[in-house]
Amino acid sequence: MDSTVLLLIVVGAIAAGLTIFAFLGSGRSVFGGANVKSNIRNIVATQRQGVFGGPGAKQREASLYRTAEESKVEKVASSKLTLTKRLKYAQWSIPPLVYRVCQVGISLLAFSVMSLKFGIVLRAASLLAGPLFMSWLLNFCIDRRYKAFDADYPQFLLSLVGLLKTGMNPMQAIDAAGQSIEEGSILRNEVVLMNERLRFGVSEDKSIGSFGEDIYHPEIELFVQALLLSRRVGGNLSDTLDRLAKQVRKRQYFRASANAAVGMQRGSIWIIIGILVALEGYLLIVYPDAVRGAWRDELGWNVWQFGIIVILLGIFWVRQVTKIKV
């Protein structure tokens, strides 16, 4: 009865903590927008009074500075990769709260399975199964979309540069370059969506600015800004995109080289674990009492559990050390 009560307390505390975290993480300031608009109106009104001319100019200038100081607010927009952005990049149409609930459910399932046989240490470690599994699955979906887009991106840029040098209009060149990519490509779909937004009357800035907004790729923003600046102030867009294409190809080369360099380290740990499992299986066949006796003995079973924890920590540590950032 005591162990059941302890289990319920632990599960309830974890579920409550994750739920509170989910609500706090998704909170937004409701009154921030109104305060900013009010402060901006005060600044504009002060400016319209003629700060730098007429009688009382110094007083009005001081009033403007004072109004500007009072209008300082915290920066709302951030480049931090939040959970909401990660779900958008992975194309998961679920709110963050559902994601947290999935984490809790998987953790509780793993905890209940571990409670059948394993000790308190592995039970506590099993509570991390939900966050680790959901984070891995989410990162896998984000990385898959990134690689699918990145595979066609240099070809698209080079084709676009060639079309621009022939004198074609940038939007027509983008459409033609997108059509040269195979059907079903994420990049081609983004080009089609951008053109569809233009046809339905969406402004050009918003249509171009929405290009690749749900793909976690560092060079998309460079392409969008170059295209927007070209449409506004002119300039040689083909040279800019040519340099961008070279940068994308260099990044692909360096990333492939880094993955090849750490591939041996990642593979070595799996080879070591495979050798250990094979030796343990051989020992189980040759001398089964030695292995089964350790399972039945309390001290031997604790040693087994300690070994499992060390192996799991080793796998996690190797993956973190050899992780290649985009």
Side-chain angles (χ1 to χ4, degrees), residues 33-294:
N35 292 333
V36 171
K37 291 180 181 179
S38 176
N39 291 328
I40 291 176
R41 281 196 297 268
N42 292 335
I43 293 175
V44 173
T46 307
Q47 288 175 325
R48 287 176 176 174
Q49 292 175 2
V51 176
F52 302 106
K58 291 185 177 180
Q59 290 79 1
R60 289 195 294 271
E61 183 176 356
S63 175
L64 173 62
Y65 290 146
R66 187 167 53 252
T67 305
E69 287 293 329
E70 293 174 355
S71 66
K72 288 184 177 179
V73 294
E74 290 188 14
K75 183 179 178 182
V76 178
S78 174
S79 60
K80 185 178 179 181
L81 190 60
T82 60
L83 178 58
T84 303
K85 291 182 180 179
R86 293 173 65 197
L87 292 172
K88 179 181 179 181
Y89 292 143
Q91 291 289 279
W92 287 13
S93 56
I94 59 172
L97 183 60
V98 175
Y99 178 86
R100 301 295 183 189
V101 170
C102 292
Q103 287 182 325
V104 174
I106 295 174
S107 296
L108 295 181
L109 179 61
F111 183 82
S112 61
V113 173
M114 289 295 180
S115 300
L116 300 177
K117 184 65 178 177
F118 295 94
I120 186 63
V121 179
L122 275 178
R123 292 179 189 177
S126 66
L127 293 174
L128 299 174
L132 290 177
F133 176 77
M134 292 298 295
S135 178
W136 169 82
L137 187 60
L138 184 61
N139 291 332
F140 173 78
C141 294
I142 295 174
D143 191 56
R144 182 179 61 181
R145 287 177 54 80
Y146 163 78
K147 290 180 178 178
F149 183 90
D150 192 62
D152 299 323
Y153 197 38
Q155 173 190 348
F156 168 77
L157 291 177
L158 291 176
S159 177
L160 179 57
V161 169
L163 293 172
L164 289 174
K165 288 183 177 180
T166 62
M168 188 177 290
N169 180 276
M171 300 309 298
Q172 294 177 350
I174 291 174
D175 190 17
Q179 294 298 325
S180 65
I181 303 174
E182 62 180 6
E183 295 185 4
S185 170
I186 293 179
L187 197 152
R188 179 170 179 171
N189 292 336
E190 289 296 325
V191 173
V192 171
L193 286 175
M194 182 175 65
N195 291 326
E196 286 295 326
R197 284 190 287 264
L198 289 172
R199 291 192 185 97
F200 281 107
V202 181
S203 65
E204 192 173 79
D205 288 353
K206 291 183 179 180
S207 299
I208 297 174
S210 300
F211 177 80
E213 62 180 356
D214 57 350
I215 301 172
Y216 187 54
H217 196 289
E219 272 88 16
I220 292 180
E221 186 64 24
L222 297 177
F223 170 75
V224 170
Q225 293 301 326
L227 187 58
L228 288 175
L229 288 175
S230 169
R231 302 295 288 175
R232 290 177 183 175
V233 301
N236 196 341
L237 180 61
S238 60
D239 291 343
T240 303
L241 295 182
D242 189 26
R243 289 192 293 269
L244 179 58
K246 293 179 180 178
Q247 177 180 334
V248 172
R249 291 199 302 270
K250 286 181 180 179
R251 183 184 287 267
Q252 286 181 340
Y253 171 76
F254 290 141
R255 186 169 55 252
S257 301
N259 286 326
V262 302
M264 184 178 296
Q265 283 71 22
R266 284 188 173 183
S268 62
I269 189 172
W270 295 110
I271 294 175
I272 294 172
I273 293 174
I275 292 173
L276 291 175
V277 173
L279 290 175
E280 197 65 37
Y282 176 76
L283 186 61
L284 180 62
I285 295 173
V286 176
Y287 190 23
D289 291 339
V291 179
R292 294 173 182 172

